[in-house]
Amino acid sequence: MRPSHLALGVLVAAVWGVNFTVIEIGLDHFPPLLFSALRFLAAALPAVFFVGRPKVAWKWIVAVGVALGVAKFGLLFVGMDAGMPAGLSSLVLQIQAVFTAVFAAAVLGERPARIRVLGMVVACAGIGVAAVDEGTSGPLGAFALVVAAAAAWGVSNVLTRKAAPPDALNFMVWVSTVPVLPLVALSLLTEGPSRDLAALRGLDWAGAGTLLFVAWVSTVFGFGAWGWLLRRHPASTVAPFSLLVPVFGMTSAALFLGEPVTPLRWCAGALLVGGVALTSVTRRPRRRENAFDGCVPTRKNPAGDVHDEGTGTRRHVGTAGAAGPAARR
């Protein structure tokens, strides 16, 4: 990876980490669900008019929009508004890697290797330590909401994997159009029209700045740059940068919000980051002894047609017996 690409990966992690501090500041200006709705509205407009048509089926855009936009960010913003610290939120949310692995095993049939199972156990131990730390200083209900947000993120990760969008920025912009109306409706029902109107009427530069940061910098730039890196490098090379998010999140929260970083929180951070790192480990495929190891059995007739025993298909390879590039399917 080039130095400029390394710097971009670190920058995205820094943006996503600082974003938790910005969210905390924004919650002083907006009710949580309204703030989340405005965030996606600002991320979708006017970008939706410049990214082109969706490149995946609408069912995936709607599904990810509900799981990521309504569930994940709705729960996160409500949890932080209920008292979950910004730095701890950036840390606890990383348990999404464990939820992603569990849901992928259940839905996609991806069996995790032993090293990944070990990583899940270590990460869950980190969550337990973080819960003990939060139980001595803050509401456990808010903590549970952020854990639920991580679970929703895991669902959206599996849905995104199924959708396999070829353009991450295009996909994220269109996904951002989905949560706006459901979040506005939930805000009106639970937070009340008077509170929403008061927040909009009292909008100042600080509130507008936090909204633009979480919408354009964290969402549009962050996911766009992340997708750009994933198109140029293996996922196993890019994914570890996400482990820096809680580092920047906890540091920025301590610097700008004065949040204390207790020894238990450091211990929870070490366990969580270490566990997620193990969960992200991918096994390298074993080298084959020869070109035919692991191939599906085939048989060739005198005319040079090869019959694939696994699929029942037939292809012509000529009398030489090896299929050339033009003959392969």
Side-chain angles (χ1 to χ4, degrees), residues 6-7 43 57 61 69 71 88 99 105 119 125 128 161 180 203 210 212 216 241 244 260 262 265 268 308:
L6 286 170
I61 293 173
L88 188 59
F99 284 115
R161 189 176 302 177
V180 178
L203 183 63
T210 60
L212 293 179
W216 292 355
F241 284 102
L244 297 174
T262 64
R265 197 163 296 182
D308 191 319

Side-chain angles (χ1 to χ4, degrees), residues 315-317 323-329:
R315 65 183 187 275
H316 183 76
V317 299
R328 295 191 184 100
R329 294 181 181 176

Side-chain angles (χ1 to χ4, degrees), residues 83 85 88 130-139 260 262 265:
L88 188 59
V132 171
D133 178 59
E134 181 63 9
T136 62
S137 59
T262 64
R265 197 163 296 182

Side-chain angles (χ1 to χ4, degrees), residues 50-324:
F50 299 98
V51 296
R53 294 182 178 181
K55 294 179 171 55
V56 299
W58 268 104
K59 65 178 181 179
W60 299 119
I61 293 173
V62 172
V64 174
V66 171
L68 183 68
V70 179
K72 183 247 183 172
F73 281 105
L75 290 167
L76 173 64
F77 280 37
V78 172
M80 292 180 65
D81 186 65
M84 185 69 169
L88 188 59
S89 296
S90 71
L91 177 64
V92 171
L93 207 61
Q94 299 310 309
I95 198 68
Q96 58 85 18
V98 175
F99 284 115
T100 300
V102 172
F103 296 151
V107 177
L108 305 178
E110 297 180 2
R111 297 183 58 185
R114 291 181 180 177
I115 188 72
R116 289 191 171 185
V117 174
L118 175 62
M120 294 180 201
V121 173
V122 173
C124 288
I127 285 293
V129 173
V132 171
D133 178 59
E134 181 63 9
T136 62
S137 59
L140 282 176
F143 182 92
L145 287 173
V146 176
V147 173
W153 195 1
V155 172
S156 74
N157 285 339
V158 173
L159 291 171
T160 301
R161 189 176 302 177
K162 290 282 289 183
D167 186 334
L169 178 59
N170 172 281
F171 183 67
M172 192 60 207
V173 168
W174 281 103
V175 162
S176 296
T177 65
V178 175
V180 178
L181 292 180
L183 286 170
V184 168
L186 288 172
S187 179
L188 291 173
L189 287 173
T190 61
E191 296 164 347
S194 59
R195 188 181 175 191
D196 290 348
L197 287 174
L200 294 174
R201 288 171 180 170
L203 183 63
D204 55 14
W205 286 107
T210 60
L211 180 60
L212 293 179
F213 184 94
V214 297
W216 292 355
V217 181
S218 177
T219 304
V220 177
F221 166 76
F223 281 97
W226 193 257
W228 186 87
L229 288 171
L230 285 172
R231 287 196 299 272
R232 286 159 178 78
H233 303 282
S236 58
T237 302
V238 179
F241 284 102
S242 66
L243 300 179
L244 297 174
V245 172
V247 176
F248 287 108
M250 296 174 70
T251 302
S252 63
L255 289 175
F256 298 107
L257 302 176
E259 289 186 3
V261 184
T262 64
L264 272 179
R265 197 163 296 182
W266 280 119
C267 179
L271 289 170
L272 258 172
V273 172
V276 172
L278 290 174
T279 305
S280 303
V281 170
T282 56
R283 291 187 301 176
R284 294 181 179 179
R286 292 179 299 175
R287 294 184 62 184
R288 295 173 178 172
E289 294 297 326
N290 57 63
F292 299 99
D293 286 350
C295 293
V296 178
T298 60
R299 66 175 184 267
K300 186 179 67 175
N301 61 23
D305 292 329
V306 171
H307 183 269
D308 191 319
E309 300 286 1
T311 63
T313 59
R314 187 183 301 274
R315 65 183 187 275
H316 183 76
V317 299
T319 56

